[in-house]
Amino acid sequence: MKKIVWNSPVVLSFAFISLGVLLSGYATNGTSTQLLFTCYRSRFSDPLFYVRLFTHVLGHANFEHYLSNMMIFLLIGPILEEKYGSEKILKIMIITALVTGIVHVIFFPDTGLLGASGIVFAFIILVSFTGNEKGTIPLTFLLIAGLYVGDQVMSLFAADNISHLTHILGGVIGAFYGLKGK
């Protein structure tokens, strides 16, 4: 009988922590999500402001939001963690959280940001470099960037309660690391 292995520690830990955050949000009627896992402009003297710049990627509005992020995240995250290593994948996730949090606070100060979609978009773009030879640009990258990021640019000003700018920034971060190579 084969045993189940913890094959992708960063990706799996993130997915389970995010699930715990979602469940705690349900248990607290959204209070914990708003207080700790939603990025929004607040007083710079508030220490939680700085925490939320990183933790907003763990929060999700509801189970459907969580599933839409985690299905892609769990599909391609382990491939990337195997290729780039746990440390680099964690670094990409932290940088994506910080960059998207800061940009959101600057440009959208009156709204909250939560969810892992910036990281998911970084991963979508980054996975298009899998199996690529150093010094080349894969056609898959150009197609994925055109389709995914292009769609987000087209939707940038839609009134749909989705942070398309976060998706674009995640894609740019994924492209940066993909072009940089292993």
Side-chain angles (χ1 to χ4, degrees):
M1 181 172 179
K2 297 189 185 246
K3 65 179 184 171
I4 296 173
V5 296
W6 194 259
N7 62 312
S8 188
V10 171
V11 169
L12 288 169
S13 295
F14 183 89
F16 282 115
I17 291 168
S18 292
L19 179 59
V21 166
L22 179 65
L23 296 175
S24 75
Y26 282 130
T28 63
N29 203 22
T31 302
S32 63
T33 304
Q34 181 69 22
L35 180 66
L36 299 170
F37 304 103
T38 303
C39 185
Y40 50 88
R41 186 179 291 175
S42 61
R43 294 181 324 275
F44 293 127
S45 61
D46 177 7
L48 289 179
F49 169 76
Y50 302 99
V51 171
R52 289 188 295 263
L53 287 174
F54 295 96
T55 61
H56 68 92
V57 295
L58 294 167
H60 290 86
N62 52 44
F63 196 65
E64 181 182 30
H65 184 211
Y66 172 81
L67 280 179
S68 68
N69 279 317
M70 289 306 124
M71 283 191 286
I72 296 172
F73 182 78
L74 288 168
L75 178 67
I76 61 180
I79 295 165
L80 294 172
E81 192 167 347
E82 182 178 335
K83 176 177 180 167
Y84 291 97
S86 298
E87 187 176 318
K88 179 159 275 181
I89 288 301
L90 181 59
K91 179 180 177 183
I92 292 168
M93 293 167 65
I94 289 169
I95 288 169
T96 303
L98 181 61
V99 168
T100 58
I102 289 171
V103 170
H104 183 83
V105 166
I106 291 169
F107 291 105
F108 303 100
D110 299 326
T111 63
L113 174 67
L114 73 159
S117 60
I119 293 171
V120 169
F121 268 77
F123 281 13
I124 288 169
I125 297 299
L126 186 58
V127 80
S128 69
F129 287 91
T130 303
N132 187 47
E133 293 180 28
K134 193 168 184 155
T136 63
I137 298 175
L139 180 57
T140 53
F141 160 68
L142 297 174
L143 292 171
I144 293 296
L147 293 170
Y148 273 90
V149 177
D151 178 58
Q152 294 307 302
V153 169
M154 298 297 290
S155 303
L156 197 56
F157 299 104
D160 57 8
N161 215 19
I162 296 171
S163 181
H164 298 283
L165 183 57
T166 296
H167 298 169
I168 293 166
L169 291 169
V172 168
I173 292 166
F176 171 79
Y177 280 98
L179 290 167
K180 186 177 163 184
K182 197 171 183 182

